[in-house]
Amino acid sequence: MSSAKVFHINNLFKILGIHDTNELTYVSRKLRISNKELQYYNDKMIFPTGKVLYSILKYTGYTEFELKVRLGIIDNKIIEWIAENPEFILKNYKERKEINSNLTKPIFETSKGRLYMGDCLDVMRCIPDGHVNMIFADPPFNLNKKYESGIDDYISEQEYINWTEKWILECIRILAPGGSMFVYNIPYWNTYTSSILNKYLNFRHWIAISMKGLISVRNKLHPEHYSLLYYIKGDKPLVFNKQRIPMATCRHCGGELRDYGGKKKDLDPTGLSVPDIFTDINPVRHEKYKNRQANELPVKLLYRIISMASNEGDIIFDPFGGSGTTYIVAEYLNRMWIGSEIGSVDDIITRFNNKSDEELLKIIEKDSNVLFTEKQIKIRKKNGFWGYEKLTKYKREVCKEN
Ligand SMILES: C[S@@+](CC[C@H](N)C(=O)[O-])C[C@H]1O[C@@H](n2cnc3c(N)ncnc32)[C@H](O)[C@@H]1O
């Protein structure tokens, strides 16, 4: 009775002895729980309640406490028990330290950075504690996407969360005190990521990266943002350079999109404070600026994050290289960088050799920390809108200069 594996076998199925659809049907009949419901508790790793819980306990002979422990669901009651009985855990736990000595030679180097080809976990194991000042991670989203590296992007939820915890713990170890850590993912996964990070780092922001064109899901709100978690190691960030952005104006006439009422004159000529919703980051669509077919983050996003959370000379680490956006921007901003990529690193190397991002980065630099970009000034002037001359702070600075 062995049919093909058509679902993820998480701990619940393992406990119930389910390895294929026939076994699922058999157990669900015994428990009087539908296949679909059993699969739901297995896939979502949600602890069952009520009748479902009662049937599972009866079938397995476990107590509720034992079932929780076997499922790896650690609630506060269990945490309290562990804290009261540490010897019990410590006696049975062997720390595993596997260091891959093949990973000592980078596959690509610049004067500021080193790129390793391999699993980020192996690469991180070779990095000393507290060595890096900022980490940006954009892992695969486990959405069954095709990666050139051939990684399995459709593992079970439990495996994905366990793997996430593994690489996050290594990141935390290599992050310097006061260092910043960013994790980019879909909101669903970042709810799990933040529950891991909350145990070790200090939460600063859940940044919503507004993204149009995401696919609608039936019976749900239309998704319009990716999540960027921002945490720091310790109480205070070692570096926080406030970033400012231009005012949002109409593309056609240049008029402001928000009403600043009588407060216009008090606006800062260096721009508006960046809010925790980024609405000005567009996906890389233009072929001229595209370095791979999918999963390439816009350089503008990395420009903002790296400028905000690090200074020149700081070390930036990104475990998931992809097309190398983080490394390119770090290099441009005179940061040191370390990277790893499990798949092909050709796109990254070509990108460094072509210097194809420089033009765009110069524009981004020019348009950062100003209230109006040159383009905005031009169109606003043409249509009779006010400009820098209206701002009290600007007028004061001009007077000082003269
Ligand atoms: C979402 S992409 C990153 C894209 C990148 N931020 C960019 O802008 O180009 C994730 C990358 O992580 C790589 N990857 C997946 N698992 C990895 C691992 N264990 N170690 C290192 N790289 C890994 C994949 O091959 C993929 O290129």
Side-chain angles (χ1 to χ4, degrees):
M1 78 153 179
S2 90
S3 64
K5 177 182 142 188
V6 288
F7 41 64
H8 292 304
I9 300 166
N10 286 339
N11 282 350
L12 181 63
F13 277 4
K14 279 188 200 147
I15 286 170
L16 296 172
I18 299 171
H19 304 95
D20 56 34
T21 40
N22 291 336
E23 286 170 354
L24 173 60
T25 307
Y26 172 80
V27 176
S28 76
R29 274 200 199 124
K30 282 260 173 209
L31 294 173
R32 292 171 188 268
I33 304 167
S34 71
N35 289 22
K36 216 170 146 194
E37 203 172 355
L38 261 190
Q39 190 143 8
Y40 165 80
Y41 285 110
N42 173 75
D43 290 358
K44 294 278 163 199
M45 296 181 309
I46 289 174
F47 192 72
T49 51
K51 253 169 58 186
V52 179
L53 175 63
Y54 177 76
S55 306
I56 294 175
L57 295 181
K58 204 165 152 215
Y59 181 77
T60 55
Y62 296 145
T63 62
E64 189 176 326
F65 179 86
E66 190 175 355
L67 183 66
K68 269 194 189 148
V69 174
R70 286 183 187 276
L71 286 175
I73 293 176
I74 308 289
D75 62 11
N76 279 339
K77 211 165 127 194
I78 298 177
I79 292 172
E80 269 172 34
W81 184 88
I82 293 173
E84 279 161 17
N85 303 278
E87 276 71 33
F88 184 83
I89 301 283
L90 295 170
K91 217 168 59 198
N92 293 291
Y93 179 77
K94 280 195 201 80
E95 225 173 317
R96 269 173 299 157
K97 276 199 179 134
E98 301 137 14
I99 295 188
N100 185 342
S101 55
N102 295 334
L103 277 159
T104 44
K105 211 172 153 355
I107 185 130
F108 174 72
E109 262 181 287
T110 69
S111 58
K112 299 181 193 117
R114 275 175 290 145
L115 175 65
Y116 295 89
M117 191 173 165
D119 190 318
C120 62
L121 275 168
D122 294 330
V123 173
M124 281 191 274
R125 283 180 191 129
C126 300
I127 301 177
D129 295 1
H131 185 71
V132 307
N133 305 93
M134 192 203 113
I135 295 175
F136 180 91
D138 167 24
F141 297 169
N142 202 31
L143 292 177
N144 208 7
K145 276 200 179 167
K146 274 235 158 332
Y147 280 91
E148 233 182 80
S149 53
I151 57 153
D152 185 356
D153 191 42
Y154 195 52
I155 54 179
S156 79
E157 297 217 347
Q158 190 163 7
E159 281 174 280
Y160 186 75
I161 294 163
N162 289 350
W163 173 71
T164 301
E165 177 144 12
K166 267 194 211 160
W167 65 256
I168 282 186
L169 286 181
E170 272 304 288
C171 283
I172 292 171
R173 182 187 62 74
I174 65 169
L175 187 63
S180 304
M181 170 144 179
F182 296 86
V183 183
Y184 183 83
N185 210 321
I186 52 173
Y188 179 74
W189 288 128
N190 264 355
T191 61
Y192 290 94
T193 313
S194 68
S195 78
I196 301 167
L197 287 166
N198 282 338
K199 289 187 231 164
Y200 308 98
L201 302 181
N202 272 313
F203 173 81
R204 252 167 103 74
H205 290 286
W206 173 296
I207 300 170
I209 316 279
S210 170
M211 216 43 94
K212 300 275 182 284
L214 299 179
I215 299 162
S216 261
V217 183
R218 246 182 97 220
N219 297 328
K220 279 193 158 181
L221 299 178
H222 181 72
E224 240 183 48
H225 82 279
Y226 283 101
S227 151
L228 180 66
L229 294 174
Y230 174 13
Y231 280 73
I232 50 161
K233 192 169 185 174
D235 287 345
K236 272 205 300 205
L238 216 50
V239 180
F240 180 70
N241 302 315
K242 199 172 174 115
Q243 297 299 296
R244 294 182 170 276
I245 44 170
M247 172 190 282
T249 55
C250 167
R251 261 194 310 149
H252 306 290
C253 73
E256 50 269 37
L257 296 178
R258 235 192 78 187
D259 180 17
Y260 294 92
K263 295 202 175 109
K264 278 176 205 146
K265 62 179 185 351
D266 298 326
L267 291 172
D268 196 311
T270 62
L272 306 176
S273 288
V274 171
D276 60 5
I277 305 178
F278 292 3
T279 51
D280 59 335
I281 306 284
N282 300 313
V284 193
R285 291 228 172 86
H286 200 301
E287 280 304 322
K288 184 174 164 196
Y289 297 122
K290 235 181 157 113
N291 296 286
R292 56 153 44 183
Q293 277 321 303
N295 303 313
E296 178 184 340
L297 288 181
V299 280
K300 190 172 178 179
L301 175 63
L302 270 304
Y303 183 91
R304 182 167 302 158
I305 301 302
I306 294 177
S307 306
M308 175 174 76
S310 69
N311 287 331
E312 284 197 5
D314 282 349
I315 305 179
I316 316 287
F317 176 67
D318 182 337
F320 306 105
S323 67
T325 313
T326 306
Y327 318 141
I328 289 285
V329 179
E331 181 95 8
Y332 181 81
L333 289 171
N334 290 318
R335 272 60 167 177
M336 311 300 282
W337 58 269
I338 304 175
S340 50
E341 168 55 53
I342 206 165
S344 163
V345 292
D346 292 351
D347 288 342
I348 304 178
I349 298 173
T350 310
R351 212 168 159 182
F352 267 95
N353 291 338
N354 286 351
K355 298 195 182 311
S356 51
D357 296 273
E358 254 184 49
E359 187 193 335
L360 186 56
L361 277 161
K362 278 190 184 139
I363 298 173
I364 292 168
E365 188 160 45
K366 203 150 55 73
D367 292 350
S368 299
N369 303 312
V370 290
L371 189 59
F372 303 113
T373 64
E374 276 173 16
K375 210 163 143 196
Q376 283 175 310
I377 294 174
K378 229 188 225 165
I379 185 168
R380 282 176 71 82
K381 218 176 213 169
K382 188 173 142 210
N383 292 317
F385 289 108
W386 56 277
Y388 282 115
E389 67 290 341
K390 192 169 179 87
L391 311 174
T392 313
K393 206 168 163 190
Y394 178 79
K395 280 196 255 177
R396 234 186 279 136
E397 264 153 37
V398 172
C399 280
K400 242 196 279 164
E401 273 173 27
N402 297 328

